[in-house]
Amino acid sequence: MAGSSFGNIFRVTTWGESHGPALGVVVDGCPAGLTLQEEDIQRYLDRRRPGQSKITTARSEADQVEILSGIFEGRTTGTPISLLVRNTSQISRDYSEIASCYRPGHADYSYDQKYGFRDYRGGGRSSGRETIGRVAAGAIACKILGQLGIEVCAYTRSIGPISIDPSRFEAAAISETRTAMPDRDADTQAVAYLEEAIKRLDSVGGVMECRATGVPAGIGDPVFRKLDALLAQAVMSIGAVKAVEIGDGTTVTTRYGSENNDNFCIKQGQVAKTTNHAGGILGGISDGSDILIRAHVKPTPSIYASQQTVDQSGQEISLQIKGRHDPIIVPRAVVVLECMTAITLLDALLSNLCCRMDSLEAFYRKPELLRK
């Protein structure tokens, strides 16, 4: 299957299926010398792990990561890092009834048209469990970025009609609320909204937001590899994401240019902007401001209410999906957004090292840097 790799220098290849023995990722291009252990990765995997509250799937998986290669004496060696997470709670019989029909909102039909064959157990490669590999790789990217003074933070901005109030933003609440909202009042309202949807055997969607701080100006390319284009590709590759916004996004279409332009100024002796409508990217290149991304996520397609579909023989039938499914994808997908953003930024940073002669000279004409 083509398209399972992402990145140019920091290259990530995910593998595995929802109901196979295991899933994982191979990370190539990670610099040697990074201190790395399984706990660094496990913290991120725990944030997307299923079965942690009543608004997530009841599937209970430890999602325990194993490092198979690329680490020696607690540090990366510069060779490919292979990471594995075993499946331990798959119940494939839950999917036997949909083996010969197409679930509404899923990739069943399109898979059949492309390959003529599909793994119907949990969706195979289109399952949300594929994101395990992305998160494991993203944990490594986040650690590297952290050492460079760059922080990436994602959270739930809205669930259905319930949105956070930026004035009540509390970073600690992201990991403490069931919805991953940084606003505890909004979390309470959103949980009540979700509970009503669950009673109706339905699901809901929402919006995730990610902010990257400390990204230097000058990252990205001006044509086909624009930084915002790469971020949009990375985020749109996350299952169930249907739209991506950078900065103020679609609201800019209602403004005058005088309202939307970010004026430049000098702050503490440095070029800065008085506003950040552009979301930290101008002409496909970072401008030194915070990079802001929003991802709009559709409602979970697996719902327990009866739906109309067709089977492989062309017969129209009624279908009631069984199994264990999230009534909303957003809270567990927040860390996936964070990790895909980090992977994209790190790859762009590494690519940027060779774009200027003075950067090459600063590195290769100072051999003492190589000995550190």
Side-chain angles (χ1 to χ4, degrees):
M1 179 186 292
S4 289
S5 298
F6 181 81
N8 185 29
I9 296 177
F10 188 83
R11 190 162 180 82
V12 171
T13 302
T14 70
W15 55 267
E17 293 79 35
S18 173
H19 284 238
L23 303 100
V25 64
V26 176
V27 179
D28 205 0
C30 178
L34 175 71
T35 301
L36 187 69
Q37 52 191 348
E38 289 172 346
E39 290 78 6
D40 296 320
I41 300 165
Q42 193 62 50
R43 285 198 300 271
Y44 285 79
L45 287 172
D46 287 345
R47 291 169 58 191
R48 73 151 303 283
R49 185 168 57 85
Q52 299 190 70
S53 78
K54 62 183 178 181
I55 65 169
T56 65
T57 172
R59 179 170 176 170
S60 180
E61 294 277 6
D63 284 353
Q64 193 69 41
V65 68
E66 301 173 38
I67 299 177
L68 303 183
S69 67
I71 308 293
F72 179 66
E73 295 183 342
R75 296 199 299 168
T76 56
T77 62
T79 58
I81 302 170
S82 185
L83 306 169
L84 175 145
V85 171
R86 301 182 190 278
N87 287 322
T88 61
S89 183
Q90 62 270 56
I91 305 178
S92 297
R93 66 175 180 271
D94 285 343
Y95 297 88
S96 58
E97 293 182 10
I98 58 96
S100 60
C101 67
Y102 306 123
R103 294 169 296 173
H106 284 271
D108 301 343
Y109 175 73
S110 52
Y111 259 61
D112 257 1
Q113 295 304 297
K114 181 174 177 65
Y115 298 107
F117 177 74
R118 65 184 169 92
D119 182 352
Y120 59 83
R121 305 164 305 165
R125 286 291 285 164
S126 66
S127 167
R129 282 191 68 72
E130 180 272 336
T131 60
I132 281 174
R134 300 168 185 243
V135 171
I140 298 173
C142 284
K143 182 156 192 181
I144 297 173
L145 292 177
Q147 292 190 198
L148 299 176
I150 299 170
E151 181 182 352
V152 182
C153 176
Y155 48 87
T156 299
R157 180 182 176 89
S158 65
I159 289 177
I162 313 299
S163 296
I164 64 169
D165 182 343
S167 68
R168 294 198 297 261
F169 191 101
E170 181 187 348
I174 299 170
S175 60
E176 295 172 359
T177 57
R178 288 168 287 181
T179 60
M181 281 179 155
D183 175 349
R184 297 182 192 275
D185 290 344
D187 170 70
T188 300
Q189 298 173 50
V191 169
Y193 177 76
L194 278 164
E195 289 172 344
E196 285 300 314
I198 293 169
K199 289 177 184 177
R200 297 195 305 271
L201 307 180
D202 217 335
S203 62
V204 302
V207 179
M208 306 181 290
E209 193 164 79
C210 185
R211 188 179 299 273
T213 59
V215 179
I219 306 302
D221 294 304
V223 188
F224 295 116
R225 289 182 58 82
K226 286 180 166 67
L227 183 57
D228 42 0
L230 295 175
L231 286 167
Q233 179 190 357
V235 176
M236 282 297 293
S237 75
I238 302 170
V241 172
K242 302 303 291 184
V244 175
E245 294 181 285
I246 306 292
D248 287 357
T250 58
T251 61
V252 303
T253 62
T254 64
R255 295 184 184 145
Y256 292 110
S258 57
E259 297 173 310
N260 189 66
N261 287 344
D262 297 311
N263 292 327
F264 287 99
C265 63
I266 298 296
K267 289 184 180 178
Q268 299 176 339
Q270 301 292 323
V271 175
K273 299 188 309 184
T274 57
T275 55
N276 190 24
H277 301 305
I281 302 173
L282 291 169
I285 302 171
S286 62
D287 63 24
S289 304
D290 290 355
I291 292 176
L292 185 66
I293 310 158
R294 275 182 300 282
H296 296 251
V297 182
K298 72 178 183 179
T300 313
S302 291
I303 59 175
Y304 296 111
S306 179
Q307 301 176 85
Q308 295 302 119
T309 189
V310 298
D311 60 24
Q312 290 174 321
S313 65
Q315 298 296 311
E316 294 183 349
I317 62 171
S318 295
L319 174 67
Q320 192 163 18
I321 295 174
K322 297 180 181 179
R324 300 161 296 174
H325 310 287
D326 294 90
I328 183 171
I329 295 167
V330 173
R332 291 177 57 215
V334 159
V335 68
V336 185
L337 171 61
E338 189 171 298
C339 287
M340 288 305 295
T341 300
I343 290 168
T344 306
L345 291 176
L346 176 58
D347 189 50
L349 281 161
L350 292 172
S351 297
N352 213 53
L353 288 174
C354 63
C355 75
R356 289 174 55 157
M357 193 65 206
D358 55 359
S359 297
L360 291 173
E361 289 181 323
F363 185 80
Y364 284 107
R365 299 189 69 177
K366 293 184 177 180
E368 68 273 11
L369 294 176
L370 297 174
R371 291 195 294 268
K372 285 186 178 180

